[in-house]
Amino acid sequence: MRSAVLAAWRDSPTRFTEDTNSERDLRVGAYRDRLFVELAQNAADAAQAAGVPGRLRVSVVDGELRVANTGAPLDARGVESLASLRASGKEQLGTVGRFGIGFAAVLTVTDEPRVVSTTGAVGFSARRTREEAARSGDVPVLRLPFPVDEEPTAGYDTEVRLPLREQGRALLDEVAGEIGDLLLALPWLAEAEVDGRVWTRTGDGIVQIDGPQGKARWRTHGPWAVPVDDEGVPRPLNDDVLHAPTPTDEELSLPARLILAVPLEPSRRRVLPGDGLTEALRDAAGQYVALVRELPPEHRFALIPAAGFPKSTVDSQLGEFIFAELSGQPWLSTVDGEVVPGRQARILDVDAPGLSSLLADLVPGLVVVPPSAVRLLKPVSAQLQGIGDVLELLTGIDRQPEWWRELYAVLAKAVDGHALTSAQLDGLPVPLSDGRTLPGVQGALLVEGSGELLELLSDVDVPGLRLVHPAAAHPLLERLGAKHADARQLLEAEQVQYAVERSVADVQSGSDGMVLAGAVLRLVAECGDQAPGWTAALALPTEDGWRRAAEVVLPASPLLDVFDPEVFEPDGALAVLDEEFAEDWPAETLVATGVLDSFAVVRDEQPHEPDHDLPDEDLWWEACEPSTVVAVRDLDLVADDAWPAALRLLAARPQTWQALHTPDGHAAWWLSQYALLAGEPPGAWRMPSATGLAGLYDVVPDLGLTDDLLLVTGVRTELVLDTAEDVTDLLDRLGDPARTPAPGLVARAHAALVAAPVEVADLDAPAGVRVADGTVATEAVVLDAPWFAAVLEPSRMVVAPQDPERLAELLDLPTASGLPAEVTSTGEYVAWAELPAVLLVAEQLGLALPDGGLLLHDPLTVTVDGTEYDVPWWSDDRLHAADTSEGLARAFATAGGRWAERYRITALLEDPAPRTLLN
């Protein structure tokens, strides 16, 4: 080989120059910093050729850098490769080296390299080459091999020995910094030792490099390797270069290392463009997806290349291929266990852990992606689903309320973490207790209350009442605008009122009334057994069907003993509550809703018209004109013989007691009109203490009632006539011959009749009247002029203390003044001032004399109805008097308007002494 080279140099002087320049280019250019890379590569090729993992040892001995390796020893072809340019003997072995020029890297540290092997040894020398070629200066060192008589270090098959120009410690440290990457890139090297420091490579799939500073782990697949920690979690690279398999100058921005044999320039620093490179990169991209799939699904996103400016042409081309493969090949694990390519993946662009699992069956290809990786998936054609897409997806779906609550909990965390805003959740569906789903929280009510209440409300169907299903309720809904509603607010809701008011009709149409009844009763119970009045319309089950609560009586109510039995007949005014249903609810709750346990009270602080459904309310309203209404309903349902018990029941409770005693109240008014005591109205009896009514009214029988109850029902203590019935009753009593009222009582009775607020047209004429002698007459006249008392018999005369004309109308009798009468005697006109006796009486009594005078008769005779009578005084167009003390006194009292003084005047006229005046 030396002879051939030397001959070539002699035959072609330019050949020597060419070889010198070529070697200089390799030494100072392409291989200036690749000494150990090239030697390690040769060691890996030797191990591969021997078929056993290789070992490498690097040391500095006596100023020489020695790199020993195991594996196939140096052979003749190898020597030819060392001494030739671009004539490597390893091309046909599938090994790393190709061009036979990598060994030129040794020239960066020495010009006397030697290769010592168990099969022989060869050396190169710049000094000896100058001698052989008879040249000076720079010469090509590696063109002339010289035999060497040396053997490699024991335990190794080949050793490269390089006498160093400079200190070797720095070189060893540089080698130590490269060894880990070289062991990864050269799988046939299993161990490397540098100046006593040992590195080993173990594993397949997960490659572990152990060295003095610790260990490095790599997951590998095909040409790819990515660092991982002890748990297998990838630690992606940020910057790297293409390894082919040793480092090139082609920068890459991929998360994993590419160790790929591609066409390279002779310097092994740059790739050679062309179809070969393209196919190699395309194949590597396909295997990149396989590397990604080997990672757990949650760690695969770490290997998605970041979009950005490529660092090299190779980086750009490789990135395109990888994104294409990630888009088309399955590698993304969906939440439902499938594996899909990027273009079929759906990704929630919402940082809400747990949301994806809830939406798994709604979104095909849904992949859980860390927020940091969402933007990385855009280049692989994954479709992002924003919160708006999620809300649109949720609209109209059917899910259990518990599922919705889980969803709200997940979204609430996202809002708390500022990944979402409340405004973004506008339109979030809300399941309602009636089974509907509301498209947004507007108008939704979050129910507060006991678990039993929530369970009842979850089944209730109240149109327009948007109750969030209790199992779905979550604080997030309140943040989005839902309102909390306690039992009171629900009970007062217009929608509930509407449902209650039409509940009977709904039940009759086939609806299940139990659900609404249970919900409303529970609301009433939650409100402390207080309820608005309209709950009385609630449909409740009774012994004969469904009825309004206001028409229902508790099974144990005392009203069952006082109401007429006809009341409880089918289609009667009231019905008895179903006994089993009644056992399920406290009596207080049922009563608060409107069910009757005792008499119910009707209240209205500002009544405008008689519309309270009270018996004879119009008549009472007209009679009393109430400013407030505190009344008792259903009094008209009491049986005729049960009034004493009913009155005791009314007195037993404060509410009805108050209603009985309300001034001008309906209860007292109605009782006085229609209640029966011993078969008679209360006004037909008198209190025992009302002795002044004896003779007209009997004492009320002993019915076990207190005086107060007797009084409030209208048992009499005095003569008060309010109605035509009262007047008719009194007239009948006055005309009853069996009764013996005292004369004063008769007079008071006649006065009461005159004062009664009744129309004469509403009355019938009595059969008999009570006359002045205390008897009953069928024919009489009403005394309307006192002078007729002198001519009428007491048995024919009805005395009227006042307004005799009114009494005459009531009794259908003529008045006395209507009788034909005339004065038949002749009288003499005398002025009052001309009567000394009258003047004396006037002075004694301090009375002024009347104007004018009178006709004085002796005697005074009148004819009345054809009969002549002597009378003390009379009056027609003029005043007449007999010349007697009685006649003068009555005339003077009449003229002076002192009728009440007539008896005193008479006494003084007869005896004008002081004694008479004093008496």
Side-chain angles (χ1 to χ4, degrees), residues 608-644:
H608 299 291
E609 54 184 279
D611 57 357
H612 303 87
D613 199 25
L614 298 172
D616 300 296
E617 186 176 0
D618 290 340
L619 297 177
W620 165 69
W621 194 275
E622 182 179 351
C624 300
E625 298 182 356
S627 59
T628 61
V629 173
V630 182
V632 179
R633 50 167 279 199
D634 300 327
L635 294 175
D636 54 332
L637 304 183
V638 176
D640 289 346
D641 60 351
W643 274 108

Side-chain angles (χ1 to χ4, degrees), residues 66 701 849:
R66 296 186 176 184
L849 286 177

Side-chain angles (χ1 to χ4, degrees), residues 673-697:
Q673 301 294 316
Y674 303 103
L676 294 176
L677 300 179
E680 298 290 339
W685 304 104
R686 68 175 175 87
M687 295 295 293
S689 59
T691 56
L693 299 180
L696 281 180
Y697 296 94

Side-chain angles (χ1 to χ4, degrees), residues 491 496 500 515-525 534-535 538 589 593:
L491 190 58
V496 174
V500 168
V515 176
L516 180 62
V520 173
L521 288 173
R522 177 51 57 188
L523 287 173
V524 173
W534 48 258
T535 58
L538 178 65
T589 301
T593 307

Side-chain angles (χ1 to χ4, degrees), residues 30-38 105 246-247 267-269:
Y31 289 89
R32 63 185 181 277
D33 54 0
R34 297 179 59 86
L35 168 63
F36 186 69
V37 170
E38 295 299 329
T246 52
S267 66
R268 300 183 63 80
R269 291 179 179 274

Side-chain angles (χ1 to χ4, degrees), residues 343-411:
R343 66 169 58 98
Q344 295 180 11
R346 303 292 184 272
I347 300 167
L348 296 181
D349 191 13
V350 181
D351 185 10
L355 181 58
S356 296
S357 60
L358 290 171
L359 304 180
D361 60 337
L362 298 175
V363 185
L366 184 60
V367 178
V368 179
V369 179
S372 59
V374 171
R375 61 181 182 84
L376 299 176
L377 286 167
K378 292 182 180 180
V380 302
S381 304
Q383 298 183 29
L384 298 185
Q385 306 286 307
I387 189 60
D389 300 316
V390 172
L391 295 181
E392 183 177 351
L393 182 69
L394 294 173
T395 301
I397 69 169
D398 183 17
R399 288 293 185 274
Q400 292 298 317
E402 293 78 7
W403 183 91
W404 287 104
R405 181 176 177 84
E406 290 184 42
L407 174 68
Y408 301 150
V410 168
L411 295 177

